[in-house]
Amino acid sequence: MYKTMIKKDSVLKSYEIAKERYAEIGVNVDLALEQLQKITISLHCWQADDVTGFEKSQNLGGGGIQATGNYPGKARNIDEVRLDIEKVMSLVGGKHRLNLHEIYGDFGDKIVDRDQVEPKHFKSWMEWGKEKNIKLDFNSTSFGHVKSGDLTLANPDKGIRDFWIEHTKRCRAISEEMGKFQNDPCLMNIWIHDGSKDMTVNRLKYRSLLNESLDEIFKTEYKNMRDALESKLFGIALESYTVGSHDFYLGYGVKKQKMVTLDMGHFHLSENIADKISAMLLFLPELMIHVSRPVRWDSDHVVILNDDLSELAKEIIRANALDRTHVALDFFDASINRIGAYVLGIKATQKAFLQALLEPITKLREYEANSQYFERLALLEESKSLPWNAVWDYFCLKNNIAVGENYINDIQQYEKEVTSKRF
């Protein structure tokens, strides 16, 4: 008890000093904390079980997606996924959402093909979310199926194409019911792996088919869900051509005023998606951000507080776009403790937003307006070493969660008592 009180006292003292330091450069720390508390992150259910899902038919994997590693203790069923998510939520500050893929439906012992899925298969998820005060988001699932192949919504075979059109229509209907049930719009993301391993001479043909499929899918208007379209640079075994490229979805999103999803791992490594925020928000109603960490390629490593993430958060705050951007995690690392991976990713994302909210933006804009570029650069550099970490510790304390590295012990204990017993 004595050590705990000393720790709390130390956090409070450091916070007061930090608050005073930030006030000197015109930053309201209380306001920054208030804003951070309201930022919701949509957790990806697929980190808990390595993108396996609960279909009774064999999940074939593939389709441009792959989880690597064999760390023990992955969730094996719907109850274990929920238990793990609840544990993660208890270790982080703020209120967050859960992002479900269609293959995570509560199918019981029945084989339900993807063109037959219905809202009833997610009724228990909706009830669980209401009980735990967790809002749900959704994704259609085009990979890991006998009809996936290289092409789904862009497939020249009308039978296969219609199968995936029906699947996506049904996913939108499920999202609508989720949004209605939770009295908050369900955000549904559409990502398909469609592409070619080697060179193709039919780029326009496949994109024309995808355009037609999407037009058919979006014929029904809904009030309680919102659509998002996610591009990709390439998929596994589909390295040479992607039908749903960034240019394609950007054009389609502007035309139909649909949300476009920017995944941090879905672009050339030299690209910084932070630069795309301000350009796209001029022409689109909202953006979805998938926070990930590519290493050499879209390898979905656990998110850490690096320059790319910091710049992304800063651009969202600088653009005053918190109410027009939706943040979701998207990584699946099976090589480390999966609960730890979740918590690391959430905390890193929150830290990036806290740093952005503590930026002395008023003074920086004043320098820029006056062409005082040395002063602007100097203040940006000094901001990097301001005591934001003391504010972060206070945020944790205020949310009644472990301060600093103390959460590691909680995860180790959960592994000892729960996940290590899964065989």
Side-chain angles (χ1 to χ4, degrees), residues 4-227:
T4 301
M5 292 303 293
I6 290 293
K7 183 71 173 178
K8 180 179 178 180
D9 187 55
S10 175
V11 169
L12 292 173
K13 285 181 179 178
S14 296
Y15 171 69
E16 290 302 324
I17 294 171
K19 188 174 177 180
E20 182 178 341
R21 178 68 182 92
Y22 275 107
E24 292 174 358
I25 56 172
V27 175
N28 186 331
V29 171
D30 289 331
L31 178 60
L33 285 171
E34 182 182 326
Q35 291 176 292
L36 180 63
Q37 193 72 40
K38 295 177 182 177
I39 294 176
T40 60
I41 300 169
S42 201
L43 279 66
H44 51 315
C45 70
W46 49 95
Q47 166 64 28
D49 76 335
D50 306 343
V51 207
T52 302
F54 310 128
E55 290 180 318
K56 296 307 172 185
S57 55
Q58 184 182 10
N59 188 322
L60 301 177
I65 197 165
Q66 180 183 2
T68 55
N70 56 0
Y71 194 89
K74 80 171 186 174
R76 301 163 298 182
N77 53 56
I78 199 167
D79 291 330
E80 290 181 351
V81 167
R82 289 172 181 168
L83 187 67
D84 288 352
I85 294 298
E86 290 169 26
K87 181 62 180 178
V88 171
M89 295 287 195
S90 74
L91 296 175
V92 296
K95 281 289 180 186
H96 303 291
R97 304 169 73 95
L98 180 65
N99 199 9
L100 291 170
H101 248 288
E102 180 275 334
I103 57 174
Y104 287 80
D106 192 351
F107 302 118
D109 294 326
K110 295 181 179 179
I111 295 177
V112 180
D113 211 347
R114 296 188 195 173
D115 64 340
Q116 299 298 317
V117 67
E118 299 179 54
K120 68 181 182 181
H121 299 121
F122 292 86
K123 185 174 183 292
S124 70
W125 274 114
M126 294 183 230
E127 292 170 343
W128 172 83
K130 183 176 182 179
E131 178 188 348
K132 303 299 179 181
N133 194 23
I134 298 172
K135 300 296 196 314
L136 303 177
D137 294 318
F138 203 57
N139 300 260
S140 55
T141 310
S142 68
F143 54 83
H145 190 278
V146 293
K147 293 186 178 179
S148 289
D150 293 343
L151 298 164
T152 59
L153 292 177
N155 201 307
D157 184 322
K158 188 176 185 301
I160 294 177
R161 191 169 69 252
D162 286 348
F163 176 89
W164 291 111
I165 289 173
E166 181 64 21
H167 166 72
T168 314
K169 283 182 175 181
R170 285 173 176 258
C171 287
R172 294 185 75 232
I174 291 167
S175 300
E176 171 70 7
E177 291 304 311
M178 283 181 174
K180 193 182 302 181
F181 185 89
Q182 63 195 20
N183 196 31
D184 189 78
C186 174
L187 308 181
M188 184 186 135
N189 190 56
I190 298 175
W191 171 77
I192 60 172
H193 57 274
D194 294 32
S196 175
K197 180 175 177 64
D198 215 325
M199 292 178 288
T200 176
V201 294
N202 277 315
R203 291 174 183 264
L204 182 60
K205 175 181 179 179
Y206 302 130
R207 286 180 174 145
S208 296
L209 288 170
L210 178 54
N211 181 60
E212 292 172 12
S213 294
L214 292 173
D215 285 348
E216 176 64 26
I217 287 165
F218 294 136
K219 276 184 178 179
T220 302
E221 296 287 339
Y222 290 117
K223 295 181 179 179
N224 299 288
M225 61 85 66
R226 295 209 283 273
D227 302 292

